[in-house]
Amino acid sequence: MAEKMKNGAAGGVSDLVNGPVASTLISFSIPFMLSTFLQTLYSTADTIVVGQYLGSAGLSAVSNGSQLMQLLYLFCVGFSSAGQVLIAQAQGAGNKEFESELVGALFGIVVIFSAAIGVLCILFSGSFLTLLATPEEAFVQAEYYIIICGAGMVFTGLYNVFSAVLRGLGDSIHPLLFVLVASVVNIILDVVFIAFFHWNVAGAGLATIIGQAVSVWFSFVYLKRHKELFPFSLHIRDLIPHREISMKIIAIAIPMSIQNAAIQFSFLFVSRMVNALGVTVSAAFGVTQKLRNIPGMLTQGLGTGCSAMIGQNLGARRNDRVGGIMRWGYAITAGINAVFAIVFFVAPDLCFRMFTQDETVLVYAGICIFSLLIELPGKTCIYIGNALINAQGFVKFSTIIGLTDAFAGRVFLSWLFGIRLGWGASGFFIGYSLGTYLTAIPGLVYYVSGLWKKRSLLTEN
């Protein structure tokens, strides 16, 4: 076992159940934070390049098209996250045989699931955009974007599952390198396809999928060349889902996917209301979402690190360390959000100009930034609270929170302020942000109450 840990460390796997909590959490989570930031960066690069070269219609097309892709992407993330939870608990408990069977089943399920989603995405892209009331000027470009991304959905699924497996084992370095590869390829191809080849929004979708495909290839090569470091293999026979383990993955993944998708569904509902106000407001809402994602992805990366670390410590029966992980997680998240709050407050117009020079869109910069500022305190709690809930695999609670946040919070409050009270665009932006607190508060209460200490491990069931 000692030799295995030594080899694991050489492969980038960290010991998460021993040593100082703060320094271990920070060193382990920084690569995740950088990874999620890079994911945001290459998604943002699409928007920046499109905004600079294709104007408000292009921005609206990317905003509406990416909403469906984000929804489907979150279902893939649900399966990857379920695998990460189980792998982390098994790693902490030292159950290598279960890990090996789990990884094979996870890869097999994700390939089948992501391929099916890709087909549905291609078949129903137009229907989705019609349901979303996509502005006419942006409709065709958005449809091209969805079809191209749907065709590459298997790469999206594999891209996430490779990183989830390594995160569960305690490796945060290599997922960062794989995301870096995808980001660099995507950004370069964004410029080439849009600025030079003039492929419009379709070029942005193609750049994203190629970037993910290249990253998957690098991930596969790495695992094949260093297979002695990992308690699993990637032979075809190993990818046939084991029934019992597959059912365990699905039992966790479906509720996690619903939780993740609920927030995106709420965004789609609100987007439909926003789209009714025209392409300019639609573009402003899209830019606001990209700005929201910048601090959000950093703190989400920290939450991912917390979740993997909490999972291993739960598996190792180190509840004393879990409390320390949570406290440090909340403190670091608060610091990150404070920095971005200052940036948004001081330079709202400059933040918007990263994405567009359209003066009609820039009119909404002030209210959009204000909505982000009132959201940040809630975002300080949301990802760390979710880290504890997800690390335990407490899927019923997380699903209830997600559905409440999405529909009782974001959709209802957006409708209340935007339509019922007649605030228009301002009401939609503010209502959507206030919905954050319906997730943040329950997660914080669950941690403070100590009820989490009474739950059993998933690997014991």
Side-chain angles (χ1 to χ4, degrees):
M1 183 65 172
E3 183 64 26
K4 184 69 178 178
M5 289 299 295
K6 181 178 179 182
N7 289 339
V13 177
S14 302
D15 180 2
L16 304 181
V17 298
N18 297 293
V21 170
S23 59
T24 301
L25 175 61
I26 293 171
S27 61
F28 179 62
S29 296
I30 284 176
F32 289 136
M33 296 165 69
L34 292 174
S35 295
T36 51
F37 182 76
L38 285 171
Q39 286 178 313
T40 303
L41 179 62
Y42 79 68
S43 174
T44 301
D46 287 348
T47 308
I48 291 175
V49 176
V50 166
Q52 298 299 328
Y53 287 94
L54 303 180
S56 59
L59 278 174
S60 180
V62 169
S63 176
N64 283 278
S66 63
Q67 287 171 37
L68 174 61
M69 301 319 304
Q70 180 68 10
L71 174 63
L72 299 177
Y73 165 81
L74 289 173
F75 277 99
C76 293
V77 169
F79 280 87
S80 299
S81 298
Q84 178 184 317
V85 168
L86 290 166
I87 290 169
Q89 290 190 12
Q91 178 78 353
N95 191 343
K96 302 299 181 184
E97 181 179 354
F98 179 77
E99 274 185 309
S100 179
E101 295 176 341
L102 173 62
V103 171
L106 182 63
F107 270 94
I109 291 171
V110 168
V111 167
I112 295 170
F113 184 77
S114 58
I117 284 182
V119 172
L120 293 175
C121 182
I122 293 171
L123 293 177
F124 297 103
S125 57
S127 299
F128 168 81
L129 292 171
T130 300
L131 182 65
L132 197 58
T134 303
E136 183 179 351
E137 306 94 312
F139 193 97
V140 173
Q141 292 190 65
E143 190 169 19
Y144 286 149
Y145 184 88
I146 291 172
I147 290 172
I148 290 171
C149 290
M153 185 58 68
V154 169
F155 296 122
T156 302
L158 289 173
Y159 170 77
N160 281 280
V161 77
F162 270 114
S163 293
V165 168
L166 293 175
R167 288 196 301 264
L169 293 173
D171 184 353
S172 59
I173 298 298
H174 289 96
L176 169 61
L177 297 178
F178 300 148
V179 170
L180 179 61
V181 169
S183 301
V184 171
V185 172
N186 185 86
I187 292 171
I188 292 174
L189 293 182
D190 266 331
V191 176
V192 172
F193 291 163
I194 296 174
F196 292 97
F197 289 178
H198 305 292
W199 289 354
N200 298 328
V201 171
L206 188 60
T208 297
I209 292 304
I210 292 176
Q212 292 179 349
V214 172
S215 178
V216 167
W217 183 79
F218 271 91
S219 303
F220 182 77
V221 169
Y222 168 73
L223 292 182
K224 292 293 287 185
R225 290 183 177 177
H226 301 87
K227 57 186 178 182
E228 73 281 357
L229 300 177
F230 303 102
F232 60 85
S233 64
L234 291 178
H235 297 297
I236 297 297
R237 65 178 180 273
D238 298 318
L239 302 183
I240 300 174
H242 184 284
R243 184 179 183 279
E244 182 179 346
I245 294 178
S246 297
M247 294 306 296
K248 189 180 287 287
I249 294 172
I250 292 171
I252 304 170
I254 295 300
M256 280 190 167
S257 297
I258 292 173
Q259 179 198 9
N260 292 335
I263 304 301
Q264 187 62 19
F265 268 122
S266 72
F267 187 74
L268 299 182
F269 276 105
V270 176
S271 292
R272 179 178 174 84
M273 291 186 280
V274 169
N275 285 340
L277 299 181
V279 69
T280 299
V281 179
S282 173
F285 195 54
V287 171
T288 305
Q289 186 69 0
K290 295 300 182 182
L291 288 172
R292 172 181 284 114
N293 285 343
I294 297 174
M297 283 298 183
L298 282 175
T299 51
Q300 183 180 341
L302 179 64
T304 300
C306 284
S307 183
M309 190 170 174
I310 290 170
Q312 286 202 20
N313 280 276
L314 289 171
R317 306 294 185 180
R318 296 296 305 274
N319 283 357
D320 57 311
R321 288 173 61 84
V322 173
I325 295 167
M326 292 294 292
R327 289 189 294 273
W328 276 104
Y330 280 125
I332 296 169
T333 302
I336 293 171
N337 284 337
V339 170
F340 278 96
I342 293 171
V343 172
F344 289 157
F345 180 77
V346 171
D349 192 66
L350 180 62
C351 292
F352 249 63
R353 286 188 182 276
M354 289 192 303
F355 299 92
T356 181
Q357 301 299 320
D358 189 331
E359 295 297 333
T360 61
V361 178
L362 290 169
V363 167
Y364 294 94
I367 187 60
C368 293
I369 294 297
F370 175 74
S371 70
L372 296 180
L373 291 175
I374 63 176
E375 178 182 292
L376 284 175
K379 282 293 184 70
T380 295
C381 300
I382 194 170
Y383 292 120
I384 307 304
N386 285 346
L388 174 60
I389 296 169
N390 291 333
Q392 291 189 305
F394 193 179
V395 291
K396 291 182 180 178
F397 187 35
S398 64
T399 301
I400 291 171
I401 291 176
L403 292 173
T404 302
D405 174 8
F407 299 107
R410 296 177 194 270
V411 173
F412 173 74
L413 293 175
S414 297
W415 170 85
L416 176 64
F417 289 111
I419 297 178
R420 184 67 178 84
L421 298 180
W423 292 9
S426 299
F428 294 137
F429 295 136
I430 293 172
Y432 189 83
S433 292
L434 289 176
T436 300
Y437 290 88
L438 273 76
T439 295
I441 294 173
L444 179 61
V445 170
Y446 179 65
Y447 162 63
V448 173
S449 71
L451 292 173
W452 56 273
K453 298 177 183 178
K454 301 178 182 180
R455 289 192 59 81
S456 60
L457 298 178
L458 296 169
T459 51
E460 296 175 335
N461 297 336

